[in-house]
C-alpha cells in the first residue's frame, strides 16, 4: 500500500461532516484508510493484515485527517497543534500490538507537522470496524 502526504478528502459514509470546528478546536470524524469507496487494505490486524501494513494504513488515515482539517480551516498552516489522536484497530484474537500500529500515525504526524504534530494518543483494539477496515483514526486539533 502506498501512503502519500497529499490524501484527498473522502465523502462521509453517512449523515455527518468530516470536521467540526468549535472555539478553535477541530474535531475530526473517524477516517478509514480509503480512497473514495475503495479501502486500501481490509481485515483484522494480526491475521489478515500485518503490523507494517497496518502502520502504513494508520499513516494514510493521518493524511486524510490533515486534509480534512486543512480543508475546513483554510490550509495546513492553520493547524496550531494536534492535541489528541484515537486509533481503533480491528484486532485478531490475541493481538496486543495496537500501540505499535498507532506508531505509524504518530510518526507521520511528526514527519508532516514537526512539533505541531506531537499529541496525546489512545490505541484501542476492537472486534470490527466499518467496511472491514483494519484501522479507524480520529483527532482533535487546535486551529486558528
Amino acid at each position: 500500500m502506498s501512503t502519500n502526504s497529499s490524501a484527498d478528502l473522502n465523502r462521509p459514509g453517512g449523515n455527518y461532516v468530516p470536521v467540526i470546528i468549535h472555539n478553535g478546536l477541530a474535531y475530526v470524524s473517524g477516517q478509514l484508510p480509503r480512497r473514495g469507496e475503495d479501502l486500501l487494505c481490509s481485515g483484522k490486524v494480526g491475521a489478515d493484515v500485518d503490523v507494517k501494513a497496518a502502520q502504513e494504513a494508520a499513516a494514510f488515515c493521518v493524511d486524510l485527517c490533515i486534509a480534512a482539517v486543512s480543508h475546513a480551516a483554510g490550509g495546513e498552516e492553520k493547524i496550531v497543534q494536534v492535541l489528541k489522536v484515537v486509533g481503533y484497530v480491528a484486532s485478531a484474537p490475541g493481538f496486543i500490538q495496537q500501540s505499535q500500529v498507532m506508531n505509524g500515525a504518530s510518526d507521520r504526524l511528526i514527519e508532516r507537522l514537526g512539533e505541531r504534530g506531537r499529541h496525546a494518543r489512545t490505541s484501542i483494539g476492537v472486534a470490527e470496524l466499518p467496511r472491514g477496515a483494519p484501522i479507524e483514526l480520529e483527532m482533535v486539533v487546535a486551529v486558528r
Side-chain angles (χ1 to χ4, degrees):
M1 170 176 54
S2 164
T3 55
N4 108 29
S5 61
S6 60
D8 294 325
L9 292 176
N10 284 324
R11 287 180 174 217
N15 192 16
Y16 62 92
V17 295
V19 178
I20 289 286
I21 297 176
H22 181 73
N23 290 335
L25 295 177
Y27 297 87
V28 184
S29 295
Q31 298 292 316
L32 303 176
R34 66 183 177 100
R35 280 198 177 98
E37 295 304 310
D38 300 324
L39 281 176
L40 299 182
C41 60
S42 63
K44 293 186 190 287
V45 184
D48 314 304
V49 179
D50 66 23
V51 170
K52 180 161 178 42
Q55 288 172 330
E56 292 173 0
F60 188 77
C61 289
V62 161
D63 292 336
L64 292 171
C65 287
I66 290 173
V69 171
S70 295
H71 183 263
E76 193 171 308
E77 70 280 356
K78 302 287 187 171
I79 295 173
V80 175
Q81 185 70 50
V82 176
L83 301 174
K84 177 84 183 222
V85 176
V86 179
Y88 303 92
V89 180
S91 301
F95 182 77
I96 59 170
Q97 294 180 288
Q98 290 82 7
S99 62
Q100 290 300 108
V101 170
M102 284 301 294
N103 285 342
S106 295
D107 292 347
R108 178 58 59 88
L109 279 167
I110 303 306
E111 174 188 313
R112 295 265 321 257
L113 300 174
E115 288 301 310
R116 296 181 302 145
R118 294 213 180 274
H119 55 277
R121 184 180 88 183
T122 301
S123 306
I124 303 167
V126 298
E128 302 289 342
L129 286 170
R131 303 178 186 216
I135 188 160
E136 183 169 4
L137 196 139
E138 65 180 55
M139 283 188 199
V140 179
V141 179
V143 296
R144 64 172 171 267

